[in-house]
Amino acid sequence: MPTNNIKRQLEQEAQIDTSAELEGFHKQFLKEIQYGTPSVGTIFTYACFLIKSPIKEHKEQGVAYFTELLEKDPDNREYLYFLALGNYTMEEPTQAKYWVQQLLQVEPHNPQALELQELILEQIKQDGLLGMAIVGGAATVLAVGGIVLAAVLKKR
């Protein structure tokens, strides 16, 4: 059973306007690009703010930066965690599950990763229930429509 620390933290962070910080790290990122490659620290911090943004395109860009960072350091727990978290907040549970499982291979008893995994599995379950409700509703509409059509055709 998840403790909901991550969920609570995400809800609290959603109430905070971080657009000024995001803009500041974006400027720092661009400044470092002018002189070559941005530092790992700048990319990491900028990507964190992108993932926490309410804008999906920002989240996608943050995930892309963490993917690039991970190529250079494949077992980095922070990169894996933020890839899982970013995909979770974008409601991409299959990708989120993949990344959290990668993290748990590196650190099997990481409490933060275990909690995030529970949230992701809960999201997958909810998506499955919603999908079943939609399919069930569509089937009901088709069945009722078929009955009505049969009754109309029978009266002719």
Side-chain angles (χ1 to χ4, degrees):
M1 179 67 89
T3 60
N4 290 322
N5 290 332
I6 294 172
K7 200 172 200 176
R8 188 176 20 255
Q9 181 180 354
L10 289 171
E11 289 168 357
Q12 289 171 350
E13 288 174 353
Q15 303 300 316
I16 300 169
D17 181 9
T18 59
S19 56
E21 290 90 344
L22 178 59
E23 182 61 30
F25 282 108
H26 179 69
K27 287 179 182 176
Q28 178 66 29
F29 181 81
L30 293 176
K31 182 179 176 183
E32 289 185 26
I33 285 178
Q34 290 177 343
Y35 299 104
T37 304
S39 71
V40 169
T42 297
I43 297 169
F44 178 86
T45 306
Y46 182 43
C48 284
F49 275 95
L50 286 167
I51 282 177
K52 293 178 181 183
S53 168
I55 300 168
K56 186 172 183 177
E57 292 78 18
H58 287 175
K59 292 177 186 295
E60 290 169 345
Q61 188 61 55
V63 165
Y65 287 135
F66 276 115
T67 303
E68 289 175 23
L69 289 171
L70 192 66
E71 289 173 6
K72 297 173 185 142
D73 189 1
D75 291 335
N76 186 298
R77 71 159 304 283
E78 286 86 9
Y79 303 164
L80 292 166
Y81 175 78
F82 280 105
L83 281 165
L85 184 67
N87 280 284
Y88 170 75
T89 62
M90 289 190 302
E91 298 183 8
E92 297 288 343
T94 305
Q95 278 300 107
K97 182 180 173 191
Y98 171 80
W99 291 117
V100 81
Q101 287 174 339
Q102 297 302 307
L103 173 54
L104 288 169
Q105 285 182 0
V106 175
E107 292 185 6
H109 304 292
N110 181 312
Q112 196 176 25
L114 291 168
E115 180 182 347
L116 182 55
Q117 181 181 42
E118 287 298 317
L119 290 172
I120 292 165
L121 294 174
E122 186 179 298
Q123 189 179 59
I124 290 170
K125 181 180 173 184
Q126 291 296 325
D127 288 353
L129 291 175
L130 179 62
M132 288 190 317
I134 290 170
V135 169
T140 301
V141 167
L142 289 174
V144 169
I147 292 169
V148 170
L149 180 62
V152 168
L153 291 176
K154 187 176 182 182
K155 285 186 179 183
R156 287 185 177 191

